[in-house]
Amino acid sequence: MTITANQSYAYADLPRLMGLMTGDEKHGPAATSTMDALWVLYDRVLRVGPERMDDPERDRFLLSKGHGPMAYYAVLAAKGFVPVEWLPAFGSYDSPLGHHPDRVLVPGAEIGSGSLGHGLPIAVGTALGLRAQGLDEPRVWVLIGDAELDEGSNHEAIAFAGAAGLERLHTVVIDNSSASHARPGGIAARFEAAGWSAATVDGRDHEALYAAFTAPHPGRPRVVVAQVEPKYA
């Protein structure tokens, strides 16, 4: 397959797009663990696009797991947010595609991210801000890694969001067994205890992901735990 700027892309093209990004510090497992969830979101769920990046009614997607952004950049390229020609320069000095996404440099990126534990609190604030503005249609999505749940900031955000009934807030947890601390009852149980609607699915099964992403959850925030192969297997 030849990668060109003008063709349309399918899920099957993502490995080749990711393969254009070379160099050190790629965090390959962190990136590939998110590939399926990102594709389903951008291809079938999120109300976003290059033509509406400034639309106040757009959905907001926040990549908290920003230390492994290759799959994210590949999906943004496939969906026309960034030029495919940017991908080979990933991580270089003058490339807008850094090892952590920069919202000022990367079209479509809502936040700069990569530091563990920041994305979910920012998503809570985003949902509150939209509510305060009377914007009831936009949904806020945040993708975090299971190891981010080792950070206390996320547990404060989980507790607040459930109590506040932030039903426009959606969290995807990529579970690749890299967390340091065990969670009795599983990750979903932690969110359910705080009043969230929760589901745990195969993170490689696109239909299961789509069903979990689109399930109704009136009055409650939603979390989908996407289980993938262990990072260190």
Side-chain angles (χ1 to χ4, degrees):
M1 181 185 71
T2 301
I3 297 293
T4 63
N6 297 320
Q7 74 180 80
S8 60
Y9 297 97
Y11 169 76
D13 298 318
L14 291 186
R16 184 66 179 272
L17 289 170
M18 290 177 66
L20 296 175
M21 291 175 271
T22 59
D24 297 329
E25 300 297 328
K26 291 196 300 182
H27 285 282
T32 56
S33 69
T34 68
M35 184 170 65
D36 296 271
L38 285 169
W39 181 258
V40 174
L41 284 170
Y42 273 89
D43 192 54
R44 302 173 64 181
V45 177
L46 293 174
R47 298 178 308 158
V48 296
E51 72 288 349
R52 59 182 307 186
M53 287 187 286
D54 296 320
D55 182 355
E57 295 291 342
R58 73 189 184 281
D59 288 344
R60 273 68 166 175
F61 174 78
L62 284 59
L63 179 70
S64 185
K65 193 176 169 68
H67 55 283
M70 286 196 305
Y72 181 51
Y73 293 154
V75 170
L76 290 179
K79 293 302 181 180
F81 288 88
V82 303
V84 170
E85 291 83 1
W86 285 9
L87 298 180
F90 163 68
S92 63
Y93 175 76
D94 57 353
S95 172
L97 304 182
H99 291 130
H100 291 195
D102 185 329
R103 71 176 185 85
V104 176
L105 300 177
V106 182
E110 296 281 356
I111 61 170
S113 61
S115 297
L116 301 186
H118 287 175
L120 182 52
I122 294 173
V124 168
T126 302
L128 285 171
L130 292 170
R131 176 190 280 183
Q133 295 176 71
L135 295 171
D136 299 324
E137 290 303 314
R139 299 165 298 182
V140 180
W141 289 82
V142 57
L143 187 149
I144 72 175
D146 62 320
E148 293 192 72
L149 295 175
D150 291 341
E151 303 292 335
S153 56
N154 277 327
H155 294 278
E156 294 177 2
I158 291 167
F160 180 89
L166 295 180
E167 66 177 278
R168 308 307 288 173
L169 176 63
H170 306 75
T171 299
V172 182
V173 182
I174 302 297
D175 181 8
N176 64 357
S177 302
S178 59
S180 298
H181 306 294
R183 309 224 161 263
I187 292 173
R190 169 66 187 92
F191 286 82
E192 288 176 322
W196 290 56
S197 167
T200 300
V201 300
D202 180 346
R204 301 302 187 191
D205 184 331
H206 289 199
E207 293 306 316
L209 286 166
Y210 178 74
F213 290 163
T214 57
H217 51 94
R220 296 192 290 168
R222 174 72 165 170
V223 63
V224 176
V225 181
Q227 295 180 325
V228 298
E229 59 280 358
K231 179 178 180 179
Y232 298 110

